[in-house]
Amino acid sequence: MNQPCAVLVRPRIYIGDGIAIGPGKIDLLRAVGETRSIAAAARSLGVPYKRAWLLIDSLNQGFGRPVVETATGGKGGGGASLTTLGQQLIACYDTLEASLNASAGKELQALRELAN
């Protein structure tokens, strides 16, 4: 018996030549917001720390301001938190994703049927 196939549109957006936003970066930002750590976020997603840091840095550079702020370690420990920009990126992406999925119902159903 075939199980219903979930179909979801997860867009990748290019803003000019310097900014690319897609599900991987959004998931990483969301994980940083939840864990308050780039290292913990990377681990939770199965991504090497260096790759996670480079993805965040590419957003920081592309927007010209940070999406994640970091604090160095020490007695109180380090950490990371989303800036207002980082929170806005997640919110805008989530709204766009929901809108695309809602408006593409007929096409998504056709793809679902092809999989069954």
Side-chain angles (χ1 to χ4, degrees), residues 24 27-29 31 40-47:
D27 290 346
L28 178 59
L29 288 178
R43 277 192 303 276
S44 76
L45 297 172
V47 176

Side-chain angles (χ1 to χ4, degrees), residues 4-21:
C5 178
V7 180
L8 179 67
V9 175
R10 299 230 39 216
R12 181 174 317 279
I13 299 103
Y14 298 93
I15 303 170
D17 292 333
I19 302 172
I21 306 164

Side-chain angles (χ1 to χ4, degrees), residues 77-101:
S81 60
L82 294 176
T83 62
T84 300
L85 174 60
Q87 294 168 356
Q88 290 171 331
L89 280 175
I90 293 170
C92 287
Y93 185 90
D94 287 349
T95 300
L96 174 63
E97 185 178 81
S99 175
L100 289 171
N101 279 286

Side-chain angles (χ1 to χ4, degrees), residues 28 38 41-42 47-57:
L28 178 59
I38 295 172
V47 176
Y49 172 80
K50 184 172 183 176
R51 174 83 176 134
W53 188 89
L54 289 172
L55 291 171
I56 290 168
D57 190 54

